[in-house]
Amino acid sequence: MHATHEVFNQPAALVGYNLFETNQALRSALRFNAPTLDTAALHRLGAELGTAEMQAHARLANVHTPQLRSHDRFGHRIDQVEFHPSYHALMNAAVEAGLHGTPWAGQKPSPHVLRAGGFMLFSELEPSILCPISMTYAVTPALRRNEAIYDAWGPRLTSRRYDPEFKPYTQKLGVTMGMGMTEKQGGSDVRANTAQALPDGSDGWGQRYRITGHKWFFSAPMCDAFLVLAQSPGGLSCFFLPRVLPDGSLNALYIQRLKDKLGNKANASSEVEFVQATAWLVGEEGRGVPQILEMGTMTRLDCALGTSGLMRQALCLALHHTRQRQAFGKRLIEHDLMRNVLADLAIESEASCALSMRIARSFDRQDEPHEQLMARLLTPIAKFWICKRGSSFAQEAMECLGGNGYVEEGGEGVMARIYREMPVNSIWEGAGNIMALDLLRALRREDAASALAMELAPARGMHAALDRLAQSLPQRVEAMSNEMEARRLTQDMALAVQAALLAQTAPAEVFAAFCDSRLAGNWGHTFGTLGADTAFDKILQRAMPA
């Protein structure tokens, strides 16, 4: 080969660092929401996730996508999905870290806050394997409505042992669960579902049914069991449907094909059909929708946590690149306009983290009426706003890397994965309109406005723009008579709560910059329009990854 040039001015990979120790925003949120929490496990997880090995697993699991094996070589129907070994390595790490059903075991204080911190850290890898982890987290408490099934499956759902083998649950130390809700004709309108569940007697697990129908989006079909919605004689109901029946035979669940998605490549999303599949009733007939809403609250939290984690990693990559890359005589991060963009991204990332972790705290305190209401109000708010901001955030962070961020290879190739992954959190479990409408339903409670005022009270008097917004919200809530302005109200409530949280968790410079830009009107429609008097140095130093 001829020596044509020297390779220089290419930033080193961001690898070999502790994701938790360098994330000051997350650590502040943890101190605020769970002051006595033991974070040793998060320190260990942060170190593991920062290694080249885990980064490679995340890349390989996305490059070598799941493969459907509908039949074996003899022609027998098997309906199994094969994954790359890196997928299983990532799943094993997530389960060992307790990111699935372990909070429901109640073994440690603030288990949901601890789990939320780990989930956010794991999302920084962009591994695309967290869907079954999130669904196992969400369905575990719902399963308690069938005591017999929960007694049999509960210990395995909270186990920290990952077992990918396709075999009866009684032969496994740990299991995962999924959900099957969406059908072709209905989408988010699950009341339009046509899958039929007919009574088929009863046994030790309660009322048994036979389900015939389909699911249009059926994620992680290799989970050990699913909660599915189907029309029973008593109306839309929730059912427990295992892949392998108690007698060891395969249930009549047939995978038609895997979805070819924009992102989320390592996760197998599928279309399935049920042909007299065996399932057991969970809860009461006709109460399927309320149960779905309860599970949706938890998976929607994970959408906000996941987006916040992806934001943090995109920010880290942008900071790491710009403090090494030289352009026009100095490092990129030394250029004023780049500093403005990076600081604006840092503020957005910290605000998203603060709001997501606040919701996790409400899950830990469901015996308190205010926290119950906060979980109900803040979850659709965070799902709407944080996930809506994710895509534009990823695009702006990618621009900081230029062409290096747009390519798929190398350490910076994760930026392209992050960009493709962002929309799934906004769409999955209800897109923007669904979240805004869900918030309107929650605001119908008589105590909603007063609870919101209580949440904003600690920041009263700290910034004039926040005070004006906080004073206007109760009247806007009470005056909301239709859905036309629901998105604007959801956005403004998100910004107000984020500002109030930053007032309590972040340095004064971060809080002031957030309020000056997001609330006082000194902000454009893109990142990088902060005022010239912003404390750029302190904001950027706080956000640095290593």
Side-chain angles (χ1 to χ4, degrees):
M1 295 296 293
H2 297 287
T4 62
H5 65 285
E6 177 186 355
V7 177
F8 66 100
N9 198 25
Q10 288 286 341
L14 179 57
V15 66
Y17 72 109
N18 190 311
L19 275 62
F20 179 71
E21 288 183 358
T22 57
N23 192 337
Q24 295 191 51
L26 175 57
R27 294 172 69 180
S28 294
L30 289 168
R31 285 192 296 270
F32 174 70
N33 291 291
T36 62
L37 183 67
D38 182 0
T39 60
L42 295 178
H43 279 272
R44 292 192 297 270
L45 181 62
E48 179 185 8
L49 297 175
T51 62
E53 179 184 10
M54 292 302 289
Q55 291 181 2
H57 281 317
R59 178 180 63 83
L60 291 171
N62 277 280
V63 170
H64 302 283
T65 56
Q67 300 295 312
L68 173 62
R69 302 287 181 244
S70 59
H71 296 76
D72 66 14
R73 65 191 183 97
F74 302 108
H76 301 121
R77 186 92 194 214
I78 58 174
D79 291 279
Q80 296 186 30
V81 180
E82 291 182 354
F83 297 90
H84 188 270
S86 285
Y87 172 91
H88 295 301
L90 292 163
M91 284 290 292
N92 184 69
V95 170
E96 281 189 346
L99 306 186
H100 56 309
T102 53
W104 306 111
Q107 297 171 349
K108 295 181 179 180
S110 302
H112 294 279
V113 169
L114 179 63
R115 183 254 178 196
F119 193 92
M120 193 179 297
L121 289 173
F122 213 98
S123 297
E124 289 194 46
L125 284 176
E126 206 302 279
S128 297
I129 59 94
L130 288 172
C131 182
I133 297 296
S134 180
M135 290 190 297
T136 302
Y137 172 63
V139 304
T140 299
L143 204 58
R144 291 172 177 164
R145 289 186 171 85
N146 185 313
E147 186 175 346
I149 294 178
Y150 186 78
D151 287 345
W153 284 71
R156 293 172 176 85
L157 287 168
T158 59
S159 167
R160 296 197 183 214
R161 298 288 295 275
Y162 172 64
D163 186 346
E165 293 297 320
F166 190 46
K167 57 188 179 184
Y169 82 99
T170 53
Q171 301 175 21
K172 304 180 70 166
L173 296 176
V175 296
T176 58
M177 280 191 63
M179 297 184 287
M181 313 300 171
T182 309
E183 297 183 6
K184 295 182 179 73
Q185 71 284 346
S188 296
D189 183 10
V190 294
R191 294 184 187 277
N193 282 9
T194 61
Q196 294 292 314
L198 298 178
D200 185 43
S202 63
D203 55 30
W205 283 358
Q207 295 174 264
R208 191 175 61 245
Y209 291 73
R210 296 282 184 175
I211 297 180
T212 300
H214 81 283
K215 294 301 169 187
W216 184 231
F217 280 94
F218 196 78
S219 280
M222 289 305 291
C223 285
D224 297 283
F226 302 86
L227 290 186
V228 301
L229 285 180
Q231 299 286 357
S232 70
L236 193 63
S237 304
C238 183
F239 297 91
F240 173 82
L241 191 152
R243 285 294 315 269
V244 181
L245 294 171
D247 64 5
S249 63
L250 297 185
N251 208 347
L253 182 159
Y254 303 107
I255 304 174
Q256 302 305 300
R257 60 176 175 173
L258 301 185
K259 298 286 193 183
D260 185 8
K261 298 166 292 182
L262 169 67
N264 198 243
K265 295 291 188 178
N267 176 47
S269 298
S270 64
E271 300 168 24
V272 301
E273 292 184 352
F274 311 125
V275 183
Q276 296 288 302
T278 303
W280 286 261
L281 183 66
V282 175
E284 301 176 24
E285 271 200 3
R287 297 288 296 168
V289 172
Q291 287 186 240
I292 291 303
L293 291 176
E294 181 180 331
M295 290 184 285
T297 298
M298 294 166 219
T299 50
R300 288 166 182 174
L301 167 61
D302 281 359
C303 290
L305 290 168
T307 301
S308 299
L310 293 174
M311 283 182 174
R312 171 61 186 172
Q313 181 58 203
L315 172 64
C316 288
L317 290 169
L319 290 167
H320 185 73
H321 179 94
T322 57
R323 67 181 176 182
Q324 296 180 75
R325 180 81 165 176
Q326 299 265 345
F328 308 108
K330 53 186 176 182
R331 294 181 302 159
L332 286 173
I333 201 170
E334 294 172 346
H335 291 274
D336 287 344
L337 199 52
M338 179 62 78
R339 290 162 59 76
N340 198 318
V341 171
L342 293 169
D344 211 349
L345 292 171
I347 292 167
E348 189 77 23
S349 176
E350 180 149 0
S352 297
C353 174
L355 178 53
S356 299
M357 295 304 296
R358 170 64 185 92
I359 301 171
R361 188 227 299 181
S362 72
F363 282 21
D364 278 323
R365 301 182 181 181
Q366 285 296 286
D367 57 336
E368 303 173 22
H370 178 73
E371 295 300 326
Q372 289 181 12
L373 187 49
M374 282 301 101
R376 182 66 185 90
L377 290 174
L378 295 183
T379 302
I381 288 172
K383 170 70 165 66
F384 173 88
W385 183 243
I386 294 174
C387 298
K388 193 68 67 180
R389 300 287 291 157
S391 293
S392 58
F393 188 104
Q395 178 184 349
E396 197 67 63
M398 183 184 292
E399 286 192 23
C400 295
L401 277 65
N404 286 350
Y406 195 71
V407 298
E408 301 283 352
E409 62 186 357
E412 293 175 337
V414 68
M415 188 69 87
R417 291 209 314 272
I418 289 173
Y419 182 72
R420 291 197 307 272
E421 184 73 2
M422 282 295 192
V424 74
N425 286 327
S426 185
I427 294 171
W428 188 49
E429 293 299 340
N433 284 352
I434 297 298
M435 291 303 98
L437 294 173
D438 190 43
L439 175 62
L440 290 189
R441 285 191 292 270
L443 289 174
R444 293 185 185 130
R445 289 185 49 162
E446 293 182 359
D447 53 350
S450 59
L452 177 62
M454 184 185 303
E455 190 69 16
L456 301 178
R460 185 180 298 126
M462 297 181 68
H463 197 285
L466 176 56
D467 285 345
R468 287 193 297 271
L469 178 59
Q471 290 168 7
S472 71
L473 286 175
Q475 292 82 6
R476 290 171 61 186
V477 167
E478 293 176 1
M480 184 66 65
S481 58
N482 61 60
E483 64 190 51
M484 191 62 71
E485 297 181 8
R487 277 186 171 229
R488 182 60 180 266
L489 178 63
T490 308
Q491 167 195 295
D492 289 351
M493 290 179 70
L495 291 172
V497 175
Q498 284 182 325
L501 290 170
L502 291 179
Q504 302 168 80
T505 64
E509 297 80 10
V510 173
F511 169 69
F514 183 90
C515 293
D516 289 345
S517 57
R518 275 70 171 168
L519 306 184
N522 188 23
W523 196 42
H525 294 290
T526 62
F527 289 98
T529 58
L530 300 175
D533 58 346
T534 301
F536 294 104
D537 287 342
K538 292 184 178 180
I539 293 172
L540 292 176
Q541 185 58 43
R542 176 172 173 79
M544 286 295 171

Short mmCIF file of all heavy atoms in Angstrom, two decimals, residues 307 311 344-345 348 352 382-396 422 426 491 495 498 518 523-527:
data_model
loop_
_atom_site.label_atom_id
_atom_site.label_comp_id
_atom_site.label_asym_id
_atom_site.label_seq_id
_atom_site.Cartn_x
_atom_site.Cartn_y
_atom_site.Cartn_z
N THR A 307 -35.37 7.08 26.98
CA THR A 307 -35.03 8.26 26.20
C THR A 307 -34.02 9.11 26.94
O THR A 307 -33.07 9.64 26.34
CB THR A 307 -36.28 9.08 25.88
OG1 THR A 307 -37.20 8.27 25.15
CG2 THR A 307 -35.94 10.31 25.06
N MET A 311 -30.41 10.16 25.58
CA MET A 311 -29.98 11.56 25.56
C MET A 311 -28.61 11.71 26.23
O MET A 311 -27.72 12.41 25.71
CB MET A 311 -31.00 12.44 26.30
CG MET A 311 -32.27 12.76 25.53
SD MET A 311 -33.29 13.87 26.55
CE MET A 311 -34.62 14.24 25.41
N ASP A 344 -26.92 23.68 25.81
CA ASP A 344 -28.37 23.52 25.66
C ASP A 344 -28.76 22.04 25.73
O ASP A 344 -29.75 21.66 26.37
CB ASP A 344 -28.80 24.12 24.32
CG ASP A 344 -30.21 24.69 24.37
OD1 ASP A 344 -30.92 24.44 25.35
OD2 ASP A 344 -30.60 25.38 23.41
N LEU A 345 -27.97 21.19 25.08
CA LEU A 345 -28.21 19.75 25.17
C LEU A 345 -28.04 19.23 26.59
O LEU A 345 -28.81 18.39 27.07
CB LEU A 345 -27.26 19.00 24.23
CG LEU A 345 -27.47 19.18 22.73
CD1 LEU A 345 -26.32 18.56 21.95
CD2 LEU A 345 -28.80 18.58 22.28
N GLU A 348 -31.11 20.07 28.65
CA GLU A 348 -32.24 19.20 28.28
C GLU A 348 -32.08 17.81 28.87
O GLU A 348 -33.03 17.21 29.39
CB GLU A 348 -32.35 19.12 26.77
CG GLU A 348 -33.59 18.42 26.26
CD GLU A 348 -34.84 19.29 26.34
OE1 GLU A 348 -34.69 20.52 26.36
OE2 GLU A 348 -35.94 18.72 26.38
N SER A 352 -34.59 16.03 31.68
CA SER A 352 -35.26 14.76 31.39
C SER A 352 -34.96 13.73 32.47
O SER A 352 -35.85 12.99 32.91
CB SER A 352 -34.81 14.25 30.02
OG SER A 352 -35.19 15.14 29.01
N ALA A 382 -44.33 13.01 31.15
CA ALA A 382 -42.95 12.67 30.81
C ALA A 382 -42.87 11.88 29.52
O ALA A 382 -41.99 12.11 28.68
CB ALA A 382 -42.31 11.89 31.95
N LYS A 383 -43.79 10.92 29.36
CA LYS A 383 -43.79 10.12 28.13
C LYS A 383 -43.99 11.01 26.91
O LYS A 383 -43.33 10.83 25.88
CB LYS A 383 -44.91 9.07 28.22
CG LYS A 383 -45.21 8.32 26.92
CD LYS A 383 -44.11 7.36 26.52
CE LYS A 383 -44.59 6.37 25.47
NZ LYS A 383 -44.93 6.97 24.16
N PHE A 384 -44.87 11.99 27.02
CA PHE A 384 -45.11 12.90 25.91
C PHE A 384 -43.88 13.77 25.64
O PHE A 384 -43.35 13.79 24.53
CB PHE A 384 -46.31 13.80 26.22
CG PHE A 384 -46.53 14.89 25.21
CD1 PHE A 384 -47.31 14.65 24.09
CD2 PHE A 384 -45.97 16.15 25.37
CE1 PHE A 384 -47.51 15.65 23.14
CE2 PHE A 384 -46.17 17.15 24.43
CZ PHE A 384 -46.93 16.91 23.32
N TRP A 385 -43.43 14.50 26.64
CA TRP A 385 -42.46 15.56 26.40
C TRP A 385 -41.04 15.04 26.22
O TRP A 385 -40.35 15.40 25.28
CB TRP A 385 -42.51 16.58 27.53
CG TRP A 385 -41.59 17.74 27.32
CD1 TRP A 385 -40.53 18.12 28.07
CD2 TRP A 385 -41.67 18.70 26.24
NE1 TRP A 385 -39.93 19.24 27.56
CE2 TRP A 385 -40.61 19.62 26.42
CE3 TRP A 385 -42.52 18.86 25.15
CZ2 TRP A 385 -40.38 20.68 25.55
CZ3 TRP A 385 -42.29 19.91 24.28
CH2 TRP A 385 -41.24 20.81 24.48
N ILE A 386 -40.59 14.17 27.10
CA ILE A 386 -39.22 13.67 27.00
C ILE A 386 -39.03 12.90 25.71
O ILE A 386 -38.06 13.11 24.97
CB ILE A 386 -38.86 12.80 28.22
CG1 ILE A 386 -38.84 13.65 29.49
CG2 ILE A 386 -37.51 12.11 28.01
CD1 ILE A 386 -38.64 12.85 30.76
N CYS A 387 -39.97 12.01 25.40
CA CYS A 387 -39.83 11.21 24.18
C CYS A 387 -40.00 12.07 22.93
O CYS A 387 -39.37 11.79 21.91
CB CYS A 387 -40.85 10.07 24.19
SG CYS A 387 -40.61 8.91 25.56
N LYS A 388 -40.82 13.10 23.02
CA LYS A 388 -40.98 14.00 21.88
C LYS A 388 -39.68 14.77 21.62
O LYS A 388 -39.33 15.05 20.47
CB LYS A 388 -42.12 14.97 22.17
CG LYS A 388 -42.61 15.77 20.98
CD LYS A 388 -43.31 14.88 19.97
CE LYS A 388 -44.60 14.33 20.51
NZ LYS A 388 -45.29 13.46 19.53
N ARG A 389 -38.95 15.10 22.66
CA ARG A 389 -37.70 15.85 22.53
C ARG A 389 -36.54 14.96 22.08
O ARG A 389 -35.52 15.45 21.60
CB ARG A 389 -37.33 16.50 23.86
CG ARG A 389 -38.35 17.48 24.39
CD ARG A 389 -38.35 18.76 23.58
NE ARG A 389 -37.12 19.51 23.80
CZ ARG A 389 -36.63 20.41 22.95
NH1 ARG A 389 -37.25 20.64 21.81
NH2 ARG A 389 -35.51 21.06 23.22
N GLY A 390 -36.70 13.65 22.23
CA GLY A 390 -35.59 12.75 21.98
C GLY A 390 -35.03 12.80 20.57
O GLY A 390 -33.81 12.84 20.37
N SER A 391 -35.90 12.79 19.57
CA SER A 391 -35.43 12.73 18.19
C SER A 391 -34.66 13.97 17.80
O SER A 391 -33.59 13.90 17.17
CB SER A 391 -36.61 12.50 17.24
OG SER A 391 -37.17 11.22 17.43
N SER A 392 -35.19 15.15 18.14
CA SER A 392 -34.47 16.38 17.81
C SER A 392 -33.18 16.49 18.60
O SER A 392 -32.17 17.02 18.10
CB SER A 392 -35.37 17.60 18.06
OG SER A 392 -35.80 17.64 19.41
N PHE A 393 -33.17 15.99 19.82
CA PHE A 393 -31.95 15.96 20.62
C PHE A 393 -30.87 15.13 19.94
O PHE A 393 -29.72 15.54 19.81
CB PHE A 393 -32.26 15.38 22.00
CG PHE A 393 -31.14 15.46 23.00
CD1 PHE A 393 -31.16 16.41 24.01
CD2 PHE A 393 -30.06 14.58 22.95
CE1 PHE A 393 -30.13 16.48 24.94
CE2 PHE A 393 -29.03 14.64 23.86
CZ PHE A 393 -29.07 15.60 24.87
N ALA A 394 -31.27 13.91 19.50
CA ALA A 394 -30.30 13.02 18.86
C ALA A 394 -29.76 13.62 17.57
O ALA A 394 -28.57 13.49 17.25
CB ALA A 394 -30.95 11.67 18.58
N GLN A 395 -30.61 14.28 16.81
CA GLN A 395 -30.16 14.90 15.57
C GLN A 395 -29.13 16.00 15.85
O GLN A 395 -28.11 16.10 15.18
CB GLN A 395 -31.34 15.48 14.81
CG GLN A 395 -30.94 16.18 13.51
CD GLN A 395 -32.09 16.83 12.79
OE1 GLN A 395 -33.24 16.61 13.15
NE2 GLN A 395 -31.80 17.62 11.78
N GLU A 396 -29.41 16.83 16.86
CA GLU A 396 -28.48 17.92 17.17
C GLU A 396 -27.15 17.38 17.68
O GLU A 396 -26.08 17.88 17.32
CB GLU A 396 -29.11 18.84 18.22
CG GLU A 396 -28.46 20.20 18.32
CD GLU A 396 -28.66 21.05 17.08
OE1 GLU A 396 -29.82 21.38 16.77
OE2 GLU A 396 -27.65 21.40 16.44
N MET A 422 -34.69 6.53 18.94
CA MET A 422 -35.49 7.53 19.65
C MET A 422 -36.99 7.44 19.35
O MET A 422 -37.81 7.50 20.28
CB MET A 422 -34.97 8.93 19.33
CG MET A 422 -33.72 9.32 20.09
SD MET A 422 -33.98 9.43 21.87
CE MET A 422 -32.46 10.24 22.38
N SER A 426 -41.23 7.17 21.68
CA SER A 426 -42.33 8.11 21.52
C SER A 426 -43.61 7.42 21.03
O SER A 426 -44.71 7.80 21.41
CB SER A 426 -41.91 9.21 20.51
OG SER A 426 -42.90 10.19 20.40
N GLN A 491 -47.18 19.99 27.40
CA GLN A 491 -45.84 20.55 27.27
C GLN A 491 -45.52 21.52 28.41
O GLN A 491 -44.45 21.43 29.05
CB GLN A 491 -45.71 21.29 25.94
CG GLN A 491 -44.49 22.18 25.80
CD GLN A 491 -44.60 23.14 24.64
OE1 GLN A 491 -44.64 22.70 23.50
NE2 GLN A 491 -44.66 24.44 24.91
N LEU A 495 -42.61 21.30 31.38
CA LEU A 495 -41.57 22.31 31.58
C LEU A 495 -41.62 22.86 33.01
O LEU A 495 -40.57 23.08 33.63
CB LEU A 495 -41.74 23.43 30.57
CG LEU A 495 -41.44 23.07 29.11
CD1 LEU A 495 -41.85 24.22 28.19
CD2 LEU A 495 -39.98 22.72 28.93
N GLN A 498 -40.26 20.12 35.37
CA GLN A 498 -38.82 20.00 35.18
C GLN A 498 -38.09 21.16 35.84
O GLN A 498 -37.08 20.97 36.52
CB GLN A 498 -38.48 19.95 33.69
CG GLN A 498 -38.78 18.61 33.04
CD GLN A 498 -38.38 18.59 31.57
OE1 GLN A 498 -38.48 19.60 30.86
NE2 GLN A 498 -37.94 17.44 31.09
N ARG A 518 -36.37 28.01 28.38
CA ARG A 518 -37.62 27.29 28.14
C ARG A 518 -38.87 28.05 28.60
O ARG A 518 -39.94 27.88 28.01
CB ARG A 518 -37.60 25.94 28.86
CG ARG A 518 -36.94 24.80 28.10
CD ARG A 518 -35.44 24.97 27.98
NE ARG A 518 -34.80 23.78 27.44
CZ ARG A 518 -33.54 23.76 27.04
NH1 ARG A 518 -32.78 24.85 27.12
NH2 ARG A 518 -33.01 22.65 26.56
N TRP A 523 -35.34 31.73 23.83
CA TRP A 523 -34.97 30.42 23.29
C TRP A 523 -35.59 30.29 21.91
O TRP A 523 -36.72 30.72 21.67
CB TRP A 523 -35.51 29.33 24.21
CG TRP A 523 -34.94 27.98 24.04
CD1 TRP A 523 -33.63 27.64 23.83
CD2 TRP A 523 -35.66 26.73 24.09
NE1 TRP A 523 -33.48 26.28 23.77
CE2 TRP A 523 -34.72 25.69 23.92
CE3 TRP A 523 -36.99 26.40 24.27
CZ2 TRP A 523 -35.07 24.36 23.92
CZ3 TRP A 523 -37.34 25.06 24.28
CH2 TRP A 523 -36.39 24.06 24.10
N GLY A 524 -34.84 29.71 20.99
CA GLY A 524 -35.35 29.51 19.64
C GLY A 524 -35.99 28.15 19.49
O GLY A 524 -36.28 27.45 20.47
N HIS A 525 -36.23 27.75 18.25
CA HIS A 525 -36.86 26.47 17.98
C HIS A 525 -35.84 25.35 17.81
O HIS A 525 -36.21 24.21 17.55
CB HIS A 525 -37.73 26.58 16.72
CG HIS A 525 -38.90 27.51 16.89
ND1 HIS A 525 -39.97 27.23 17.70
CD2 HIS A 525 -39.15 28.73 16.37
CE1 HIS A 525 -40.84 28.22 17.67
NE2 HIS A 525 -40.37 29.15 16.87
N THR A 526 -34.56 25.67 17.90
CA THR A 526 -33.51 24.65 17.81
C THR A 526 -32.61 24.78 19.03
O THR A 526 -32.66 25.76 19.76
CB THR A 526 -32.66 24.83 16.54
OG1 THR A 526 -32.01 26.12 16.59
CG2 THR A 526 -33.52 24.75 15.29
N PHE A 527 -31.79 23.76 19.25
CA PHE A 527 -30.81 23.84 20.32
C PHE A 527 -29.71 24.83 19.93
O PHE A 527 -29.41 25.03 18.75
CB PHE A 527 -30.19 22.46 20.58
CG PHE A 527 -31.14 21.50 21.25
CD1 PHE A 527 -31.84 20.56 20.50
CD2 PHE A 527 -31.34 21.54 22.62
CE1 PHE A 527 -32.71 19.66 21.10
CE2 PHE A 527 -32.22 20.65 23.23
CZ PHE A 527 -32.90 19.71 22.47
#
